[in-house]
Amino acid sequence: QVQLVESGGGLVQAGGSLRLSCSASGSTLSNYRMGWFRQAPGKERVFVASISWSSGYNAYSNSMKGRFTISRDNAKNALYLQMSSLKTEDTAVYYCAAAFGGIATMPRVDYWGQGTQVTVSS
């Protein structure tokens, strides 16, 4: 079992920055790939970025590469998503996720956080 709790969402103006955090606990986290997904109103949940808890190898959705940075702090069991140059279309609920194994785009997620709302205003 892995428990995930996100924080850091909020309202930000277009062009601004925001950092999301995810606190992880439970099973041996080194066995999991960790990532972020987002779901905009009326749309499917989509992959944003992922990182290997053990190696730090990361992967990004092409549409967010260069603006978003995923990182983790093994000592704190924390996952982060630094978002910059935010656009109104980045408005969504952002979810922290954990998947057993190492597939970069995390096609199968084993655990989800509750989500945190990010709203980007124009």
PDB file of all heavy atoms in Angstrom, residues 72-108:
ATOM      1  N   ARG A  72      12.302  14.563  -6.895  1.00  0.00           N
ATOM      2  CA  ARG A  72      11.896  13.883  -5.664  1.00  0.00           C
ATOM      3  C   ARG A  72      12.982  14.060  -4.620  1.00  0.00           C
ATOM      4  O   ARG A  72      14.145  14.299  -4.926  1.00  0.00           O
ATOM      5  CB  ARG A  72      11.598  12.390  -5.912  1.00  0.00           C
ATOM      6  CG  ARG A  72      12.789  11.438  -5.756  1.00  0.00           C
ATOM      7  CD  ARG A  72      13.546  11.278  -7.025  1.00  0.00           C
ATOM      8  NE  ARG A  72      14.487  10.173  -6.955  1.00  0.00           N
ATOM      9  CZ  ARG A  72      15.802  10.324  -7.095  1.00  0.00           C
ATOM     10  NH1 ARG A  72      16.321  11.517  -7.285  1.00  0.00           N
ATOM     11  NH2 ARG A  72      16.590   9.263  -7.056  1.00  0.00           N
ATOM     12  N   ASP A  73      12.561  13.952  -3.372  1.00  0.00           N
ATOM     13  CA  ASP A  73      13.471  14.023  -2.230  1.00  0.00           C
ATOM     14  C   ASP A  73      13.306  12.717  -1.482  1.00  0.00           C
ATOM     15  O   ASP A  73      12.330  12.539  -0.751  1.00  0.00           O
ATOM     16  CB  ASP A  73      13.136  15.217  -1.352  1.00  0.00           C
ATOM     17  CG  ASP A  73      14.125  15.410  -0.216  1.00  0.00           C
ATOM     18  OD1 ASP A  73      14.692  14.404   0.275  1.00  0.00           O
ATOM     19  OD2 ASP A  73      14.323  16.551   0.202  1.00  0.00           O
ATOM     20  N   ASN A  74      14.259  11.815  -1.678  1.00  0.00           N
ATOM     21  CA  ASN A  74      14.126  10.494  -1.083  1.00  0.00           C
ATOM     22  C   ASN A  74      14.085  10.552   0.446  1.00  0.00           C
ATOM     23  O   ASN A  74      13.371   9.796   1.094  1.00  0.00           O
ATOM     24  CB  ASN A  74      15.279   9.587  -1.523  1.00  0.00           C
ATOM     25  CG  ASN A  74      15.158   9.199  -2.974  1.00  0.00           C
ATOM     26  OD1 ASN A  74      14.482   9.865  -3.754  1.00  0.00           O
ATOM     27  ND2 ASN A  74      15.815   8.124  -3.367  1.00  0.00           N
ATOM     28  N   ALA A  75      14.849  11.452   1.020  1.00  0.00           N
ATOM     29  CA  ALA A  75      14.922  11.545   2.473  1.00  0.00           C
ATOM     30  C   ALA A  75      13.580  11.961   3.075  1.00  0.00           C
ATOM     31  O   ALA A  75      13.231  11.558   4.189  1.00  0.00           O
ATOM     32  CB  ALA A  75      16.005  12.521   2.886  1.00  0.00           C
ATOM     33  N   LYS A  76      12.824  12.773   2.326  1.00  0.00           N
ATOM     34  CA  LYS A  76      11.543  13.265   2.817  1.00  0.00           C
ATOM     35  C   LYS A  76      10.366  12.474   2.258  1.00  0.00           C
ATOM     36  O   LYS A  76       9.217  12.770   2.581  1.00  0.00           O
ATOM     37  CB  LYS A  76      11.370  14.742   2.461  1.00  0.00           C
ATOM     38  CG  LYS A  76      12.370  15.662   3.127  1.00  0.00           C
ATOM     39  CD  LYS A  76      12.106  17.112   2.738  1.00  0.00           C
ATOM     40  CE  LYS A  76      13.092  18.045   3.434  1.00  0.00           C
ATOM     41  NZ  LYS A  76      12.861  19.469   3.057  1.00  0.00           N
ATOM     42  N   ASN A  77      10.664  11.490   1.406  1.00  0.00           N
ATOM     43  CA  ASN A  77       9.588  10.759   0.718  1.00  0.00           C
ATOM     44  C   ASN A  77       8.626  11.728   0.040  1.00  0.00           C
ATOM     45  O   ASN A  77       7.398  11.600   0.155  1.00  0.00           O
ATOM     46  CB  ASN A  77       8.827   9.859   1.696  1.00  0.00           C
ATOM     47  CG  ASN A  77       9.604   8.602   2.035  1.00  0.00           C
ATOM     48  OD1 ASN A  77      10.648   8.330   1.437  1.00  0.00           O
ATOM     49  ND2 ASN A  77       9.122   7.839   2.991  1.00  0.00           N
ATOM     50  N   ALA A  78       9.187  12.694  -0.646  1.00  0.00           N
ATOM     51  CA  ALA A  78       8.385  13.739  -1.280  1.00  0.00           C
ATOM     52  C   ALA A  78       8.648  13.810  -2.764  1.00  0.00           C
ATOM     53  O   ALA A  78       9.777  13.614  -3.231  1.00  0.00           O
ATOM     54  CB  ALA A  78       8.684  15.085  -0.634  1.00  0.00           C
ATOM     55  N   LEU A  79       7.600  14.084  -3.489  1.00  0.00           N
ATOM     56  CA  LEU A  79       7.640  14.267  -4.942  1.00  0.00           C
ATOM     57  C   LEU A  79       7.196  15.689  -5.245  1.00  0.00           C
ATOM     58  O   LEU A  79       6.301  16.214  -4.558  1.00  0.00           O
ATOM     59  CB  LEU A  79       6.697  13.261  -5.605  1.00  0.00           C
ATOM     60  CG  LEU A  79       6.587  13.274  -7.114  1.00  0.00           C
ATOM     61  CD1 LEU A  79       7.854  12.697  -7.740  1.00  0.00           C
ATOM     62  CD2 LEU A  79       5.368  12.486  -7.574  1.00  0.00           C
ATOM     63  N   TYR A  80       7.811  16.298  -6.245  1.00  0.00           N
ATOM     64  CA  TYR A  80       7.490  17.688  -6.565  1.00  0.00           C
ATOM     65  C   TYR A  80       7.233  17.845  -8.061  1.00  0.00           C
ATOM     66  O   TYR A  80       7.747  17.091  -8.874  1.00  0.00           O
ATOM     67  CB  TYR A  80       8.638  18.611  -6.162  1.00  0.00           C
ATOM     68  CG  TYR A  80       9.042  18.490  -4.716  1.00  0.00           C
ATOM     69  CD1 TYR A  80      10.187  17.782  -4.360  1.00  0.00           C
ATOM     70  CD2 TYR A  80       8.274  19.063  -3.710  1.00  0.00           C
ATOM     71  CE1 TYR A  80      10.565  17.657  -3.034  1.00  0.00           C
ATOM     72  CE2 TYR A  80       8.640  18.938  -2.378  1.00  0.00           C
ATOM     73  CZ  TYR A  80       9.782  18.230  -2.045  1.00  0.00           C
ATOM     74  OH  TYR A  80      10.151  18.105  -0.734  1.00  0.00           O
ATOM     75  N   LEU A  81       6.454  18.866  -8.374  1.00  0.00           N
ATOM     76  CA  LEU A  81       6.280  19.273  -9.760  1.00  0.00           C
ATOM     77  C   LEU A  81       6.385  20.791  -9.792  1.00  0.00           C
ATOM     78  O   LEU A  81       5.495  21.484  -9.293  1.00  0.00           O
ATOM     79  CB  LEU A  81       4.935  18.824 -10.329  1.00  0.00           C
ATOM     80  CG  LEU A  81       4.733  19.125 -11.808  1.00  0.00           C
ATOM     81  CD1 LEU A  81       5.679  18.257 -12.662  1.00  0.00           C
ATOM     82  CD2 LEU A  81       3.290  18.895 -12.240  1.00  0.00           C
ATOM     83  N   GLN A  82       7.479  21.274 -10.331  1.00  0.00           N
ATOM     84  CA  GLN A  82       7.663  22.718 -10.499  1.00  0.00           C
ATOM     85  C   GLN A  82       7.099  23.105 -11.852  1.00  0.00           C
ATOM     86  O   GLN A  82       7.547  22.586 -12.884  1.00  0.00           O
ATOM     87  CB  GLN A  82       9.147  23.072 -10.411  1.00  0.00           C
ATOM     88  CG  GLN A  82       9.440  24.534 -10.633  1.00  0.00           C
ATOM     89  CD  GLN A  82       8.918  25.400  -9.493  1.00  0.00           C
ATOM     90  OE1 GLN A  82       9.090  25.077  -8.314  1.00  0.00           O
ATOM     91  NE2 GLN A  82       8.268  26.503  -9.838  1.00  0.00           N
ATOM     92  N   MET A  83       6.143  24.014 -11.846  1.00  0.00           N
ATOM     93  CA  MET A  83       5.487  24.442 -13.079  1.00  0.00           C
ATOM     94  C   MET A  83       5.781  25.910 -13.310  1.00  0.00           C
ATOM     95  O   MET A  83       5.601  26.733 -12.405  1.00  0.00           O
ATOM     96  CB  MET A  83       3.979  24.212 -12.984  1.00  0.00           C
ATOM     97  CG  MET A  83       3.607  22.777 -12.634  1.00  0.00           C
ATOM     98  SD  MET A  83       1.821  22.513 -12.613  1.00  0.00           S
ATOM     99  CE  MET A  83       1.363  23.480 -11.178  1.00  0.00           C
ATOM    100  N   SER A  84       6.218  26.248 -14.505  1.00  0.00           N
ATOM    101  CA  SER A  84       6.522  27.636 -14.823  1.00  0.00           C
ATOM    102  C   SER A  84       5.872  28.010 -16.143  1.00  0.00           C
ATOM    103  O   SER A  84       5.404  27.145 -16.885  1.00  0.00           O
ATOM    104  CB  SER A  84       8.034  27.843 -14.872  1.00  0.00           C
ATOM    105  OG  SER A  84       8.614  27.023 -15.866  1.00  0.00           O
ATOM    106  N   SER A  85       5.873  29.304 -16.433  1.00  0.00           N
ATOM    107  CA  SER A  85       5.241  29.814 -17.659  1.00  0.00           C
ATOM    108  C   SER A  85       3.854  29.218 -17.836  1.00  0.00           C
ATOM    109  O   SER A  85       3.485  28.740 -18.912  1.00  0.00           O
ATOM    110  CB  SER A  85       6.105  29.489 -18.882  1.00  0.00           C
ATOM    111  OG  SER A  85       7.395  30.051 -18.748  1.00  0.00           O
ATOM    112  N   LEU A  86       3.095  29.250 -16.768  1.00  0.00           N
ATOM    113  CA  LEU A  86       1.784  28.597 -16.779  1.00  0.00           C
ATOM    114  C   LEU A  86       0.835  29.280 -17.748  1.00  0.00           C
ATOM    115  O   LEU A  86       0.857  30.502 -17.923  1.00  0.00           O
ATOM    116  CB  LEU A  86       1.202  28.579 -15.373  1.00  0.00           C
ATOM    117  CG  LEU A  86       1.822  27.514 -14.461  1.00  0.00           C
ATOM    118  CD1 LEU A  86       1.513  27.798 -12.996  1.00  0.00           C
ATOM    119  CD2 LEU A  86       1.325  26.130 -14.845  1.00  0.00           C
ATOM    120  N   LYS A  87      -0.012  28.455 -18.368  1.00  0.00           N
ATOM    121  CA  LYS A  87      -0.999  28.917 -19.325  1.00  0.00           C
ATOM    122  C   LYS A  87      -2.394  28.588 -18.796  1.00  0.00           C
ATOM    123  O   LYS A  87      -2.555  27.690 -17.957  1.00  0.00           O
ATOM    124  CB  LYS A  87      -0.785  28.218 -20.667  1.00  0.00           C
ATOM    125  CG  LYS A  87       0.630  28.319 -21.203  1.00  0.00           C
ATOM    126  CD  LYS A  87       0.796  27.476 -22.460  1.00  0.00           C
ATOM    127  CE  LYS A  87       2.229  27.518 -22.965  1.00  0.00           C
ATOM    128  NZ  LYS A  87       2.413  26.688 -24.180  1.00  0.00           N
ATOM    129  N   THR A  88      -3.381  29.280 -19.328  1.00  0.00           N
ATOM    130  CA  THR A  88      -4.747  29.009 -18.862  1.00  0.00           C
ATOM    131  C   THR A  88      -5.135  27.552 -19.122  1.00  0.00           C
ATOM    132  O   THR A  88      -5.886  26.959 -18.351  1.00  0.00           O
ATOM    133  CB  THR A  88      -5.753  29.944 -19.542  1.00  0.00           C
ATOM    134  OG1 THR A  88      -5.612  29.834 -20.965  1.00  0.00           O
ATOM    135  CG2 THR A  88      -5.501  31.398 -19.127  1.00  0.00           C
ATOM    136  N   GLU A  89      -4.581  26.977 -20.182  1.00  0.00           N
ATOM    137  CA  GLU A  89      -4.915  25.580 -20.491  1.00  0.00           C
ATOM    138  C   GLU A  89      -4.250  24.586 -19.545  1.00  0.00           C
ATOM    139  O   GLU A  89      -4.503  23.384 -19.630  1.00  0.00           O
ATOM    140  CB  GLU A  89      -4.561  25.228 -21.939  1.00  0.00           C
ATOM    141  CG  GLU A  89      -3.161  25.585 -22.358  1.00  0.00           C
ATOM    142  CD  GLU A  89      -3.098  26.930 -23.074  1.00  0.00           C
ATOM    143  OE1 GLU A  89      -3.754  27.893 -22.616  1.00  0.00           O
ATOM    144  OE2 GLU A  89      -2.361  27.020 -24.079  1.00  0.00           O
ATOM    145  N   ASP A  90      -3.411  25.065 -18.639  1.00  0.00           N
ATOM    146  CA  ASP A  90      -2.849  24.190 -17.612  1.00  0.00           C
ATOM    147  C   ASP A  90      -3.820  24.015 -16.441  1.00  0.00           C
ATOM    148  O   ASP A  90      -3.547  23.231 -15.520  1.00  0.00           O
ATOM    149  CB  ASP A  90      -1.527  24.750 -17.090  1.00  0.00           C
ATOM    150  CG  ASP A  90      -0.427  24.735 -18.127  1.00  0.00           C
ATOM    151  OD1 ASP A  90      -0.319  23.727 -18.861  1.00  0.00           O
ATOM    152  OD2 ASP A  90       0.322  25.727 -18.224  1.00  0.00           O
ATOM    153  N   THR A  91      -4.916  24.741 -16.469  1.00  0.00           N
ATOM    154  CA  THR A  91      -5.917  24.607 -15.411  1.00  0.00           C
ATOM    155  C   THR A  91      -6.456  23.186 -15.372  1.00  0.00           C
ATOM    156  O   THR A  91      -6.932  22.660 -16.379  1.00  0.00           O
ATOM    157  CB  THR A  91      -7.071  25.594 -15.640  1.00  0.00           C
ATOM    158  OG1 THR A  91      -6.575  26.930 -15.493  1.00  0.00           O
ATOM    159  CG2 THR A  91      -8.196  25.368 -14.640  1.00  0.00           C
ATOM    160  N   ALA A  92      -6.354  22.557 -14.198  1.00  0.00           N
ATOM    161  CA  ALA A  92      -6.756  21.152 -14.064  1.00  0.00           C
ATOM    162  C   ALA A  92      -6.604  20.734 -12.605  1.00  0.00           C
ATOM    163  O   ALA A  92      -6.014  21.462 -11.799  1.00  0.00           O
ATOM    164  CB  ALA A  92      -5.884  20.251 -14.938  1.00  0.00           C
ATOM    165  N   VAL A  93      -7.118  19.573 -12.307  1.00  0.00           N
ATOM    166  CA  VAL A  93      -6.790  18.914 -11.049  1.00  0.00           C
ATOM    167  C   VAL A  93      -5.559  18.062 -11.307  1.00  0.00           C
ATOM    168  O   VAL A  93      -5.535  17.273 -12.255  1.00  0.00           O
ATOM    169  CB  VAL A  93      -7.950  18.040 -10.533  1.00  0.00           C
ATOM    170  CG1 VAL A  93      -7.539  17.319  -9.242  1.00  0.00           C
ATOM    171  CG2 VAL A  93      -9.196  18.880 -10.301  1.00  0.00           C
ATOM    172  N   TYR A  94      -4.549  18.232 -10.499  1.00  0.00           N
ATOM    173  CA  TYR A  94      -3.302  17.506 -10.650  1.00  0.00           C
ATOM    174  C   TYR A  94      -3.233  16.397  -9.605  1.00  0.00           C
ATOM    175  O   TYR A  94      -3.467  16.630  -8.413  1.00  0.00           O
ATOM    176  CB  TYR A  94      -2.119  18.460 -10.498  1.00  0.00           C
ATOM    177  CG  TYR A  94      -1.919  19.328 -11.715  1.00  0.00           C
ATOM    178  CD1 TYR A  94      -2.801  20.365 -12.010  1.00  0.00           C
ATOM    179  CD2 TYR A  94      -0.867  19.094 -12.599  1.00  0.00           C
ATOM    180  CE1 TYR A  94      -2.641  21.144 -13.147  1.00  0.00           C
ATOM    181  CE2 TYR A  94      -0.695  19.872 -13.737  1.00  0.00           C
ATOM    182  CZ  TYR A  94      -1.583  20.895 -13.994  1.00  0.00           C
ATOM    183  OH  TYR A  94      -1.420  21.670 -15.125  1.00  0.00           O
ATOM    184  N   TYR A  95      -2.901  15.200 -10.098  1.00  0.00           N
ATOM    185  CA  TYR A  95      -2.867  14.022  -9.250  1.00  0.00           C
ATOM    186  C   TYR A  95      -1.455  13.456  -9.154  1.00  0.00           C
ATOM    187  O   TYR A  95      -0.770  13.314 -10.170  1.00  0.00           O
ATOM    188  CB  TYR A  95      -3.779  12.934  -9.812  1.00  0.00           C
ATOM    189  CG  TYR A  95      -5.244  13.282  -9.818  1.00  0.00           C
ATOM    190  CD1 TYR A  95      -5.823  13.904 -10.922  1.00  0.00           C
ATOM    191  CD2 TYR A  95      -6.053  12.985  -8.726  1.00  0.00           C
ATOM    192  CE1 TYR A  95      -7.177  14.223 -10.935  1.00  0.00           C
ATOM    193  CE2 TYR A  95      -7.412  13.298  -8.731  1.00  0.00           C
ATOM    194  CZ  TYR A  95      -7.950  13.916  -9.838  1.00  0.00           C
ATOM    195  OH  TYR A  95      -9.289  14.222  -9.851  1.00  0.00           O
ATOM    196  N   CYS A  96      -1.071  13.103  -7.959  1.00  0.00           N
ATOM    197  CA  CYS A  96       0.144  12.351  -7.725  1.00  0.00           C
ATOM    198  C   CYS A  96      -0.178  10.871  -7.922  1.00  0.00           C
ATOM    199  O   CYS A  96      -1.287  10.419  -7.560  1.00  0.00           O
ATOM    200  CB  CYS A  96       0.610  12.617  -6.294  1.00  0.00           C
ATOM    201  SG  CYS A  96       2.131  11.793  -5.812  1.00  0.00           S
ATOM    202  N   ALA A  97       0.752  10.117  -8.491  1.00  0.00           N
ATOM    203  CA  ALA A  97       0.477   8.722  -8.802  1.00  0.00           C
ATOM    204  C   ALA A  97       1.701   7.854  -8.563  1.00  0.00           C
ATOM    205  O   ALA A  97       2.835   8.335  -8.657  1.00  0.00           O
ATOM    206  CB  ALA A  97       0.048   8.596 -10.263  1.00  0.00           C
ATOM    207  N   ALA A  98       1.445   6.583  -8.278  1.00  0.00           N
ATOM    208  CA  ALA A  98       2.521   5.611  -8.081  1.00  0.00           C
ATOM    209  C   ALA A  98       2.194   4.350  -8.862  1.00  0.00           C
ATOM    210  O   ALA A  98       1.061   3.863  -8.817  1.00  0.00           O
ATOM    211  CB  ALA A  98       2.694   5.280  -6.608  1.00  0.00           C
ATOM    212  N   ALA A  99       3.192   3.847  -9.583  1.00  0.00           N
ATOM    213  CA  ALA A  99       3.005   2.638 -10.371  1.00  0.00           C
ATOM    214  C   ALA A  99       4.152   1.678 -10.092  1.00  0.00           C
ATOM    215  O   ALA A  99       5.322   2.075 -10.180  1.00  0.00           O
ATOM    216  CB  ALA A  99       2.951   2.972 -11.855  1.00  0.00           C
ATOM    217  N   PHE A 100       3.823   0.438  -9.806  1.00  0.00           N
ATOM    218  CA  PHE A 100       4.851  -0.562  -9.552  1.00  0.00           C
ATOM    219  C   PHE A 100       5.558  -0.870 -10.863  1.00  0.00           C
ATOM    220  O   PHE A 100       4.932  -1.161 -11.874  1.00  0.00           O
ATOM    221  CB  PHE A 100       4.212  -1.831  -8.985  1.00  0.00           C
ATOM    222  CG  PHE A 100       5.224  -2.825  -8.502  1.00  0.00           C
ATOM    223  CD1 PHE A 100       5.760  -2.705  -7.238  1.00  0.00           C
ATOM    224  CD2 PHE A 100       5.641  -3.867  -9.311  1.00  0.00           C
ATOM    225  CE1 PHE A 100       6.705  -3.620  -6.781  1.00  0.00           C
ATOM    226  CE2 PHE A 100       6.570  -4.779  -8.863  1.00  0.00           C
ATOM    227  CZ  PHE A 100       7.111  -4.660  -7.605  1.00  0.00           C
ATOM    228  N   GLY A 101       6.881  -0.791 -10.862  1.00  0.00           N
ATOM    229  CA  GLY A 101       7.619  -1.036 -12.093  1.00  0.00           C
ATOM    230  C   GLY A 101       8.138   0.263 -12.699  1.00  0.00           C
ATOM    231  O   GLY A 101       8.085   1.313 -12.076  1.00  0.00           O
ATOM    232  N   GLY A 102       8.627   0.184 -13.930  1.00  0.00           N
ATOM    233  CA  GLY A 102       9.379   1.315 -14.443  1.00  0.00           C
ATOM    234  C   GLY A 102       8.958   1.921 -15.758  1.00  0.00           C
ATOM    235  O   GLY A 102       9.733   2.665 -16.348  1.00  0.00           O
ATOM    236  N   ILE A 103       7.759   1.645 -16.242  1.00  0.00           N
ATOM    237  CA  ILE A 103       7.367   2.218 -17.535  1.00  0.00           C
ATOM    238  C   ILE A 103       7.202   3.721 -17.386  1.00  0.00           C
ATOM    239  O   ILE A 103       6.465   4.190 -16.520  1.00  0.00           O
ATOM    240  CB  ILE A 103       6.070   1.574 -18.049  1.00  0.00           C
ATOM    241  CG1 ILE A 103       6.291   0.072 -18.233  1.00  0.00           C
ATOM    242  CG2 ILE A 103       5.646   2.219 -19.362  1.00  0.00           C
ATOM    243  CD1 ILE A 103       5.050  -0.675 -18.670  1.00  0.00           C
ATOM    244  N   ALA A 104       7.879   4.470 -18.238  1.00  0.00           N
ATOM    245  CA  ALA A 104       8.002   5.918 -18.064  1.00  0.00           C
ATOM    246  C   ALA A 104       6.670   6.651 -18.101  1.00  0.00           C
ATOM    247  O   ALA A 104       6.456   7.585 -17.337  1.00  0.00           O
ATOM    248  CB  ALA A 104       8.937   6.492 -19.110  1.00  0.00           C
ATOM    249  N   THR A 105       5.764   6.253 -18.986  1.00  0.00           N
ATOM    250  CA  THR A 105       4.494   6.971 -19.118  1.00  0.00           C
ATOM    251  C   THR A 105       3.410   6.438 -18.186  1.00  0.00           C
ATOM    252  O   THR A 105       2.278   6.880 -18.236  1.00  0.00           O
ATOM    253  CB  THR A 105       3.988   6.896 -20.565  1.00  0.00           C
ATOM    254  OG1 THR A 105       3.892   5.518 -20.940  1.00  0.00           O
ATOM    255  CG2 THR A 105       4.926   7.629 -21.507  1.00  0.00           C
ATOM    256  N   MET A 106       3.757   5.483 -17.365  1.00  0.00           N
ATOM    257  CA  MET A 106       2.848   4.977 -16.333  1.00  0.00           C
ATOM    258  C   MET A 106       1.469   4.612 -16.890  1.00  0.00           C
ATOM    259  O   MET A 106       0.456   5.175 -16.461  1.00  0.00           O
ATOM    260  CB  MET A 106       2.729   5.989 -15.187  1.00  0.00           C
ATOM    261  CG  MET A 106       4.060   6.306 -14.541  1.00  0.00           C
ATOM    262  SD  MET A 106       3.955   7.579 -13.250  1.00  0.00           S
ATOM    263  CE  MET A 106       3.012   6.738 -12.002  1.00  0.00           C
ATOM    264  N   PRO A 107       1.402   3.684 -17.803  1.00  0.00           N
ATOM    265  CA  PRO A 107       0.096   3.319 -18.369  1.00  0.00           C
ATOM    266  C   PRO A 107      -0.843   2.663 -17.360  1.00  0.00           C
ATOM    267  O   PRO A 107      -2.057   2.673 -17.559  1.00  0.00           O
ATOM    268  CB  PRO A 107       0.464   2.344 -19.485  1.00  0.00           C
ATOM    269  CG  PRO A 107       1.799   1.791 -19.080  1.00  0.00           C
ATOM    270  CD  PRO A 107       2.502   2.926 -18.391  1.00  0.00           C
ATOM    271  N   ARG A 108      -0.287   2.099 -16.315  1.00  0.00           N
ATOM    272  CA  ARG A 108      -1.122   1.523 -15.277  1.00  0.00           C
ATOM    273  C   ARG A 108      -0.678   2.088 -13.942  1.00  0.00           C
ATOM    274  O   ARG A 108       0.472   1.937 -13.551  1.00  0.00           O
ATOM    275  CB  ARG A 108      -1.000   0.002 -15.236  1.00  0.00           C
ATOM    276  CG  ARG A 108      -2.058  -0.647 -14.348  1.00  0.00           C
ATOM    277  CD  ARG A 108      -1.669  -2.052 -13.960  1.00  0.00           C
ATOM    278  NE  ARG A 108      -0.655  -2.041 -12.913  1.00  0.00           N
ATOM    279  CZ  ARG A 108      -0.175  -3.154 -12.348  1.00  0.00           C
ATOM    280  NH1 ARG A 108      -0.570  -4.327 -12.766  1.00  0.00           N
ATOM    281  NH2 ARG A 108       0.743  -3.068 -11.403  1.00  0.00           N
TER     282      ARG A 108
END
